[in-house]
Amino acid sequence: MLKTTHYDHITRIDLARTLAGRGRYWTTAYLVDGLLIDSGCAYSALELLAYLQGKPLSYLVNTHTHEDHIGANCHLQRMNSELKILAHPFALPVLAEPRERQPLHPYRRLMWGWPEPSKGEQVADGEMIRTENFSFQVIYTPGHSSDHICLYESEYGWLFSGDLFVGGRDRALSAGADIWGVIASLKKIADLPLSTLYPGSARVRENPGCELGEKIAYLEETGERVLDLYDKGWSVDAITRAIFGGPMFIEIFTLGHFSRRNLVRSYLRIQSNGATQHDEL
Ligand SMILES: [Zn+2]
């Protein structure tokens, strides 16, 4: 399913798998001045392709390589051999071999499906991507994933934040995400003069400064509580229950890939083998 919303210079394109006539598990792409930011999931690729037919397209930038942001890359590259796909250097191997580099849990296959391989070119932190009327600065913002970037148009104060900021008070985290990296990256974007924030899902925010500040404060305060209880000898499970309460449906649905426990472990920098980063120093 595909829905569009038009802003002054920007088209928001919401994309989702269609199940029983309804869109599920939405993610958002944006089209601005021949620049497409993200390409949705594999299930909505043909709808996006049809929507973009006949529209000028110079660049596709992937904010990161999660499957719900790169699903139509291959189709768009086939449709337009001139199209440049730009992403962080860490993203390029995943774009080239998504199945080998980013195995998908069953819930991710159900919600978003397997992307096909595409060929990306790297953009570095600080580099500018220029379209006819706008200039977008690449800002490296790891945490949600190690290959995450945001795009910033300084003259208009627009920030395309991918999955770095979608709002809310996090009670769970994906395995492999780094909550301290998320906080550092949020601080980086909160320092910018922003008029409008365009996230990779959820609603567009005007004047997002306060909301970004509140989110950073919430995440830091939560981290302090986690560390305090850990220092007092509490176990990960006990900390999880005390701070985030009882089980969440999403934990069962994702077989624990997205969980409260992962959030606590990330605050404690516990890696999947049970070691802490401190142990390895
Ligand atoms: Zn993501």
Side-chain angles (χ1 to χ4, degrees):
M1 191 165 284
L2 180 151
K3 291 182 190 170
T4 56
T5 313
H6 297 281
Y7 299 84
D8 274 354
H9 302 280
I10 297 166
T11 302
R12 174 189 172 119
I13 309 169
D14 287 301
L15 298 155
R17 179 171 195 186
T18 305
L19 282 172
R22 286 179 53 193
R24 319 271 177 165
Y25 327 121
W26 294 89
T27 49
T28 306
Y30 295 93
L31 180 64
V32 48
D33 204 23
L35 165 67
L36 180 68
I37 298 163
D38 288 330
S39 70
C41 74
Y43 293 122
S44 54
L46 295 180
E47 287 168 285
L48 180 63
L49 203 68
Y51 174 75
L52 293 171
Q53 281 284 350
K55 294 184 173 62
L57 200 59
S58 313
Y59 298 106
L60 162 58
V61 173
N62 291 129
T63 57
H64 62 300
T65 51
H66 285 159
E67 65 282 2
D68 50 332
H69 296 257
I70 64 170
N73 278 30
C74 168
H75 307 72
L76 291 164
Q77 207 157 43
R78 259 191 235 135
M79 176 179 85
N80 177 358
S81 59
E82 302 290 300
L83 177 68
K84 280 182 184 295
I85 298 181
L86 306 176
H88 187 270
F90 293 164
L92 303 188
V94 183
L95 294 182
E97 297 182 311
R99 283 181 186 254
E100 291 78 4
R101 303 284 183 151
Q102 186 167 250
L104 298 185
H105 291 74
Y107 83 96
R108 293 169 73 179
R109 274 179 253 162
L110 170 74
M111 292 160 92
W112 300 301
W114 287 105
E116 290 183 44
S118 57
K119 185 177 180 330
E121 297 175 35
Q122 66 177 43
V123 279
D125 184 35
E127 206 168 309
M128 302 300 291
I129 300 168
R130 295 181 206 285
T131 62
E132 195 177 335
N133 299 294
F134 306 105
S135 295
F136 300 86
Q137 183 186 345
V138 175
I139 302 176
Y140 182 43
T141 47
H144 174 78
S145 65
S146 62
D147 60 4
H148 197 288
I149 57 174
C150 292
L151 290 186
Y152 176 53
E153 215 294 343
S154 61
E155 192 176 327
Y156 287 78
W158 301 331
L159 186 86
F160 296 88
S161 64
D163 283 350
L164 169 62
F165 179 86
V166 294
R169 291 162 74 87
D170 301 63
R171 290 180 58 219
L173 195 72
S174 294
D178 165 17
I179 192 63
W180 293 111
V182 168
I183 293 169
S185 291
L186 285 170
K187 287 182 174 176
K188 212 190 251 192
I189 64 167
D191 281 345
L192 302 168
L194 298 180
S195 68
T196 318
L197 183 143
Y198 297 92
S201 63
R203 62 190 167 78
V204 169
R205 266 76 166 187
E206 303 288 340
N207 302 313
C210 278
E211 215 176 326
L212 283 170
E214 284 167 13
K215 174 117 191 177
I216 292 164
Y218 164 75
L219 290 176
E220 286 192 319
E221 283 160 18
T222 304
E224 282 164 22
R225 291 175 66 198
V226 169
L227 293 172
D228 182 49
L229 293 176
Y230 192 69
D231 284 346
K232 289 176 177 158
W234 288 43
S235 69
V236 167
D237 286 337
I239 297 169
T240 300
R241 281 192 301 275
I243 296 183
F244 300 114
M248 300 161 70
F249 171 74
I250 189 88
E251 294 175 321
I252 300 160
F253 183 60
T254 65
L255 303 177
H257 185 247
F258 186 81
S259 70
R260 298 162 296 149
R261 206 163 183 276
N262 285 341
L263 182 51
V264 170
R265 288 165 66 89
S266 186
Y267 274 124
L268 297 172
R269 297 192 163 96
I270 298 174
Q271 296 168 354
S272 51
N273 61 5
T276 66
Q277 287 181 4
H278 180 72
D279 291 337
E280 293 188 341
L281 291 175

